[in-house]
Amino acid sequence: MVSIILASLFVITIILIYIYLKRDYSPSSDDLPGVKPHIFFGNLINSGIVSKASTFREVMLDYQHRFGDKFQFWFGSHRYFNLLCSNGIIMLTGARWKRHIRVLLPMFKRTKIIGHLETIVECADRFIDQNLHSDQIHRDLISCCQSFTINVIGFIGFDYDFDIHVNLSIKKAFQDFIFYAKFLIIASWIPRWLKKIYLKYDSKYQQAYRLIHELAEKLVEEEQNNRENEGPKNLIALLVSSLNEQANDEHTSSGLTRSEIFDEILVMILAAYETTSAAIAWFIFFVSKHPQIQQRMKDELREHHLLMTDDLRGKPPATSDNLTSLIYCECVTKEVLRLAPIAGLIIRRATCDTNTDDVKIHRGQTIFIPLQNIHTDTRYWHHADPRQFIPERFLAEDQNHHPLTMIPFGGGHRACIGQELAWLELKTIIVRMMQRNITFEDTSENTGGYDERIACFPKNLAVHVRFDRP
């Protein structure tokens, strides 16, 4: 009798869950056009994302072509990802976000970042000397680009040499963490409580979490042991000086707790590992297809007496004024970020019911802003085909493009806090590679495509590297 009752309750529960989800996914008069979602899986399967037949960027462009500028895309019944670093600034809202931003923002202002230019140049030289070999085909440049960006954040953020002090197991932990981040995004249809249980008992994730946590604890402990009386010089010093276990979201409270500091370190390391490195990889891919662009960059460097030559001993000076004067190199940097933005989507969540452009938006809904759609829209980009890599567009009519038609770092007060660093990193290493007379040549294996992780990398990047004689 008891088993019959339990079986009946189970069946009733399943039916109620199905009815709830069916109702949740049923069309309503407020819905935007789009493909009918599946229960649990939303549009992840019928768009080809789960099978990897398509990427988010390709799907967003396809949906815009089919349904116009405003459409709906369903990730599943549970759309939010904050299990890996719930205390990181990118996951926070309201008073808690304001408390974190007050701590972090001072270290990411341009006046602070520009002071690290010499360090970024040194990291760029290390990247070139260790990874680029003349007259060879390079197929592993993505991992090399990741090493460069993580070295930059290591030195300027933590005064730490990741190449020397971080072993292969920790670097593997970074990769595993990124894998789980992507998994949680794709598996948004799985209930949060079930994903939490899965992560708790997944040995691979727990090993990665433990290694990264130990690294963060080591960075904090070393900073505490080496603190001087002067003000904070880098991110880790700033974080340690803000340590306050009683910190809360009251207006009178300030600082960060130890667990919050750990998550901020985690976000900074993973962002360095995954983001700007993608832009560098895309630069190498694009210019390998356009040798005339590399030549024009070198011509500009020569005009400013910054190209390395036999009669120029030592290293040409790298200053912010030099970088600013290199107009064409800046156009190339912009074109990389336009055509291959670091993030494929900007995500915002509605905090109240509203009506925007005749679209009803309900509190709690997630708004996607697909950057590839905006950055390649022929209505806003007029110089040649916006789907092509043409830096000259920023010297022609597109130099005065609407500011919201190119937002690789987002916009508003929730724009990427590290955008000044990302921009300086990207332009510096682009200039440095050209400055040292490197030429990237196309190969038959260099077919591109999209490898979508947290950031999007060229799927097949294989270039021949040549060091030109001055």
Side-chain angles (χ1 to χ4, degrees):
M1 184 66 180
V2 174
S3 60
I4 294 175
I5 293 174
L6 291 175
S8 300
L9 289 173
F10 177 76
V11 171
I12 291 171
T13 301
I14 294 298
I15 292 173
L16 290 174
I17 292 174
Y18 177 82
I19 292 172
Y20 169 78
L21 292 173
K22 186 73 174 177
R23 181 181 178 184
D24 194 33
Y25 279 78
S26 295
S28 71
S29 58
D30 296 340
D31 280 350
L32 293 170
V35 177
K36 185 178 179 180
H38 295 155
I39 293 180
F40 296 118
F41 301 103
N43 294 123
L44 291 171
I45 290 181
N46 57 24
S47 65
I49 288 176
V50 170
S51 65
K52 296 185 178 180
S54 300
T55 64
F56 283 116
R57 296 168 189 245
E58 294 167 325
V59 170
M60 293 297 103
L61 287 168
D62 176 57
Y63 271 45
Q64 183 188 31
H65 177 73
R66 294 163 64 184
F67 305 114
D69 291 335
K70 297 170 286 189
F71 52 82
Q72 69 172 8
F73 182 90
W74 291 75
F75 266 85
S77 56
H78 298 266
R79 304 183 181 89
Y80 308 120
F81 152 63
N82 62 355
L83 289 173
L84 297 184
C85 47
S86 58
N87 295 313
I89 194 168
I90 60 173
M91 298 297 170
L92 305 181
T93 59
R96 198 174 181 199
W97 176 83
K98 291 178 181 178
R99 176 164 57 84
H100 281 240
I101 201 72
R102 284 196 298 268
V103 172
L104 295 172
L105 191 58
M107 282 306 300
F108 286 97
K109 290 183 176 179
R110 179 171 177 77
T111 52
K112 284 280 188 180
I113 294 300
I114 203 68
H116 297 293
L117 178 57
E118 185 176 342
T119 299
I120 297 173
V121 172
E122 290 174 0
C123 290
D125 283 333
R126 179 188 287 193
F127 165 81
I128 294 168
D129 294 335
Q130 293 183 354
N131 302 298
L132 301 183
H133 308 293
S134 189
D135 297 323
Q136 292 185 21
I137 294 177
H138 291 67
R139 301 177 178 87
D140 60 344
L141 286 179
I142 288 177
S143 61
C144 299
C145 293
Q146 290 172 325
S147 294
F148 164 74
T149 51
I150 203 170
N151 277 336
V152 171
I153 196 65
F155 280 116
I156 73 175
F158 311 112
D159 196 21
Y160 198 79
D161 191 332
F162 278 86
D163 264 352
I164 295 176
H165 299 296
V166 174
N167 57 37
L168 292 177
S169 61
I170 296 181
K171 291 181 179 179
K172 178 66 165 55
F174 296 154
Q175 297 172 353
D176 290 341
F177 224 77
I178 290 168
F179 166 82
Y180 284 102
K182 181 180 178 181
F183 164 75
L184 292 178
I185 294 171
I186 296 296
S188 54
W189 50 275
I190 299 177
R192 177 186 170 86
W193 61 268
L194 191 56
K195 288 188 283 192
K196 201 169 184 178
I197 292 173
Y198 170 75
L199 292 177
K200 183 176 181 180
Y201 292 101
D202 186 282
S203 58
K204 188 177 179 181
Y205 166 76
Q206 290 297 327
Q207 170 78 353
Y209 181 88
R210 181 183 62 81
L211 288 173
I212 297 176
H213 192 281
E214 288 176 355
L215 173 61
E217 290 289 345
K218 181 180 179 181
L219 292 172
V220 172
E221 183 179 351
E222 289 182 357
E223 176 58 31
Q224 288 176 321
N225 293 336
N226 298 324
R227 288 188 67 184
E228 299 176 355
N229 294 327
E230 53 191 273
K233 292 183 177 180
N234 53 28
L235 178 65
I236 190 65
L238 187 72
L239 291 173
V240 169
S241 67
S242 73
L243 180 60
N244 177 11
E245 290 296 354
Q246 281 70 50
N248 55 56
D249 297 328
E250 299 294 331
H251 292 297
T252 57
S253 179
S254 62
L256 304 176
T257 65
R258 184 171 288 270
S259 62
E260 290 173 334
I261 288 176
F262 164 67
D263 275 7
E264 294 298 2
I265 292 174
L266 174 62
V267 168
M268 298 304 168
I269 292 176
L270 293 181
Y273 193 76
E274 186 73 0
T275 53
T276 311
S277 55
I280 298 169
W282 280 112
F283 163 77
I284 294 172
F285 173 79
F286 287 136
V287 297
S288 70
K289 302 289 184 180
H290 302 281
Q292 76 281 5
I293 291 176
Q294 298 182 69
Q295 187 57 53
R296 184 165 178 179
M297 294 175 71
K298 292 174 184 176
D299 290 342
E300 182 178 57
L301 285 162
R302 187 178 291 107
E303 289 171 9
H304 289 81
H305 308 290
L306 293 173
L307 194 67
M308 283 192 170
T309 59
D310 284 339
D311 60 345
L312 185 60
R313 300 293 177 234
K315 299 174 182 177
T319 66
S320 59
D321 289 340
N322 286 342
L323 288 179
T324 302
S325 67
L326 299 172
I327 304 301
Y328 186 72
C329 290
E330 179 145 334
C331 292
V332 173
T333 308
K334 288 180 179 179
E335 186 71 344
V336 172
L337 292 173
R338 184 191 68 83
L339 204 54
I342 289 174
L345 297 169
I346 294 174
I347 301 175
R348 295 291 184 264
R349 186 171 63 181
T351 57
C352 63
D353 293 343
T354 186
N355 190 302
T356 302
D357 198 17
D358 298 325
V359 176
K360 291 183 179 180
I361 299 174
H362 301 287
R363 183 177 182 271
Q365 284 185 328
T366 301
I367 313 300
F368 295 147
I369 305 171
L371 299 186
Q372 204 80 3
N373 296 37
I374 300 173
H375 290 188
T376 58
D377 197 316
T378 55
R379 291 170 295 181
Y380 309 117
W381 298 95
H382 308 293
H383 182 79
D385 186 350
R387 294 168 298 180
Q388 300 299 316
F389 189 82
I390 305 174
E392 287 78 7
R393 73 177 69 254
F394 292 104
L395 299 174
E397 57 263 49
D398 286 340
Q399 65 179 312
N400 297 317
H401 63 86
H402 191 286
L404 294 182
T405 60
M406 184 174 164
I407 46 173
F409 301 104
H413 68 281
R414 292 303 300 252
C416 174
I417 190 176
Q419 61 180 298
E420 292 288 354
L421 174 58
W423 172 264
L424 187 63
E425 276 184 89
L426 182 58
K427 186 173 182 181
T428 299
I429 192 169
I430 284 174
V431 168
R432 197 62 172 165
M433 287 188 290
M434 295 299 99
Q435 197 176 28
R436 291 186 56 176
N437 276 296
I438 295 171
T439 296
F440 298 103
E441 298 176 327
D442 197 14
T443 70
S444 59
E445 302 172 59
N446 193 39
T447 56
Y450 295 112
D451 179 13
E452 202 160 53
R453 310 174 193 179
I454 294 179
C456 191
F457 291 83
K459 188 174 184 178
N460 297 298
L461 177 63
V463 297
H464 183 270
V465 172
R466 188 182 77 243
F467 282 79
D468 299 323
R469 293 181 62 84

